[in-house]
Amino acid sequence: MGRLPCHPRTPLSKAISARPRPLTVSGDRRVSIPAHLTARRSPALTGRVRAPGDKSISHRALILGAMATGVTDIEGLLEGEDILATARAVEAFGATVERLGEGRWRVTGQGGFRQPAGVIDCGNAGTGVRLLMGAAAGYPITVTFDGDASLRKRPMKRVTGPLAGMGARFDWHGVEDRLPVAVSGGGLSAIDYVQTVASAQIKSAVLLAGLKAAGVTTVTEAEPSRDHTERMLRAFGAEVGVLPDGAGWRVSLRGGQALTGTAVAVPGDPSSAAFPLAAGLIVPGSEVTVEGVMLNPLRTGLFETWREMGADLTVANRRMAGGEEVGDITARHSTLKGVVVPPERAASMIDEYPVLAAIAAFAEGATVMRGIGEMRVKESDRIALMAAGLSACGVRVEEEPEGFTVFGGAVKGGATVTTHGDHRIAMSHLVLGLAAEDAVVVDEPGMIATSFPGFVELMRGLGTDLG
């Protein structure tokens, strides 16, 4: 089968279609990104910026909008490459997808997924492909999912296992547990699934499949993972039960429920806001405010950790947006100390450990991060890459199978860091370079557009000299 068209059906498709990595998009302007980016020691950073739309909620808004009947208007959608891949996918499943303006999108759903004409290429989007597999499993269709070289390395059986237990069928086209894989859905039965790893992706895939399964599907978590899917399902008209279960909870969903299109306001992404805020903490004299950041307690583990390290971090203008509490976070240059991060906090900040490790390099003493083996199966082995990059910059790091320890102090820098195309590895080392003695260079910076289009412009606006 051929690949699906790489743009939504809209007059503005040329502005947002997938493209080779040297280009990204900021509003209606195209910004050239070189093969390498360099971060040099920066003067004080000042200013107020807006957080990009939350990546997790952006994926879910598109998918639920496509599963629903009627119109879903989305404000503040993140227009990164991962989200555009999901937009192309839901269009291929039969929804009408339109870009109305910067961050303003409309999805018109037909009440479910239809048989697509070709392979669903999810690019680098791990969340996108796993949630889409769960959704597609509920319909009597057969679809092949694929992705880029990075996504093909990421494990998929953590999702396909419970989906197979519900009755979905999987045909691996190469290495088992890795993309590409064909999913044949329909005729599902509810499952009572107990998660061994706190993962919102697994939980969400099972719940989305459960919408079309006979019976009541439940997911029990020993530790709570982010609850965006539960919140958004309710916004689209579904009944979702959540009951305490020890330290975690038990989420239940009755099959056969129909979704109705709704309005979604996407709050600012705390994972993206972390980078300008981190720079504010380590560059002397800085005061940086990021507006509209989501404050869901299942996503703010990094901010809690920073405060324990002594960070001058304040929140103002708390308010509700899209069913989530948001606020304006200000970070001021701080004298930091190392801490032991509780392993149980990992679920609330798993994507933020790279930037935490970069900040820990400037803290007095050791910062211990354990219980984070999940980092090894993200877009890259993030434990190994952060350890290697920090070590190249003169920082002492002790790596372990399920974590690492960073010993802070003076940061030499002066290294070229290999990112293996991982956006968070790139941005974390660029932040590090803003306060290091010598410049830090990262390769493959074009991948930053997967989650944070406009990152370079935003950081330059605060006073940095990224280039």
Side-chain angles (χ1 to χ4, degrees), residues 380-392:
S380 67
D381 182 340
R382 287 178 170 167
I383 293 176
L385 287 185
M386 284 306 302
L390 292 175
S391 296

Side-chain angles (χ1 to χ4, degrees), residues 79-436:
E79 294 183 349
E81 295 292 347
D82 283 5
I83 303 303
L84 299 184
T86 296
R88 295 189 292 271
V90 299
E91 184 183 53
F93 281 120
T96 300
V97 182
E98 303 167 273
R99 184 182 189 269
L100 306 179
E102 186 171 356
R104 296 175 52 241
W105 289 62
R106 175 170 292 160
V107 179
T108 304
Q110 305 301 318
F113 283 9
R114 311 291 173 83
Q115 176 67 48
V119 174
I120 300 293
D121 188 343
C122 292
N124 192 245
T127 298
V129 71
R130 289 172 175 144
L131 269 59
L132 284 165
M133 282 198 288
Y139 300 98
I141 59 177
T142 297
V143 54
T144 296
F145 290 95
D146 202 356
D148 66 10
S150 173
L151 192 58
R152 282 187 168 199
K153 295 177 182 178
R154 300 181 68 177
M156 293 295 151
K157 272 200 167 182
R158 55 181 54 193
V159 169
T160 64
L163 294 178
M166 301 175 77
R169 285 81 65 202
F170 297 90
D171 180 17
W172 304 98
H173 289 352
V175 178
E176 191 168 346
D177 194 28
R178 299 293 188 270
L179 298 178
V181 62
V183 181
S184 297
L188 301 186
S189 298
I191 191 173
D192 190 347
Y193 184 68
V194 178
Q195 289 205 150
T196 57
V197 176
S199 170
Q201 292 181 2
I202 301 172
K203 174 178 65 177
S204 298
V206 172
L207 292 175
L208 293 180
L211 280 172
K212 304 298 292 183
V216 176
T217 293
T218 63
V219 179
T220 302
E221 296 186 298
E223 298 176 13
S225 66
R226 58 185 65 175
D227 61 349
H228 305 314
T229 298
E230 297 94 306
R231 290 171 180 255
M232 292 193 70
L233 281 167
R234 294 190 188 102
F236 279 84
E239 294 182 3
V240 183
V242 179
L243 294 174
D245 190 283
W249 51 33
R250 181 180 174 89
V251 184
S252 61
L253 175 79
R254 174 177 48 81
Q257 299 187 68
L259 304 181
T260 303
T262 188
V264 178
V266 181
D269 193 332
S271 298
S272 296
F275 295 103
L277 292 172
L281 293 178
I282 62 173
V283 175
S286 296
E287 182 172 322
V288 173
T289 298
V290 183
E291 300 176 343
V293 182
M294 186 202 311
L295 299 176
N296 184 312
L298 296 173
R299 295 286 301 280
T300 55
L302 175 67
F303 304 144
E304 184 178 353
T305 301
W306 278 350
R307 289 193 179 98
E308 291 171 357
M309 297 174 74
D312 184 349
L313 205 67
T314 57
V315 181
N317 192 22
R318 291 177 180 264
R319 57 202 184 275
M320 298 300 294
E324 299 277 1
E325 185 180 16
V326 302
D328 303 337
I329 303 180
T330 298
R332 301 172 184 85
H333 176 245
S334 304
T335 300
L336 304 174
K337 65 179 186 300
V339 297
V340 177
V341 185
E344 60 269 21
R345 194 175 290 168
S348 68
M349 55 180 291
I350 193 64
D351 288 330
E352 286 82 70
Y353 279 95
V355 73
L356 172 60
I359 297 309
F362 297 92
E364 180 182 352
T367 297
V368 181
M369 295 162 277
R370 294 195 174 110
I372 53 174
E374 181 72 9
M375 283 181 65
R376 293 199 183 274
V377 291
K378 288 289 188 176
E379 283 84 337
S380 67
D381 182 340
R382 287 178 170 167
I383 293 176
L385 287 185
M386 284 306 302
L390 292 175
S391 296
C393 292
V395 180
R396 180 186 165 201
V397 181
E398 291 183 358
E399 185 178 344
E400 304 172 12
E402 297 288 320
F404 56 163
T405 299
V406 176
F407 298 86
V411 179
K412 175 64 176 173
T416 296
V417 176
T418 300
T419 66
H420 287 260
D422 190 316
H423 51 120
R424 299 198 193 280
I425 299 297
M427 289 186 282
S428 297
H429 282 97
L430 289 171
V431 168
L432 179 94
L434 299 177

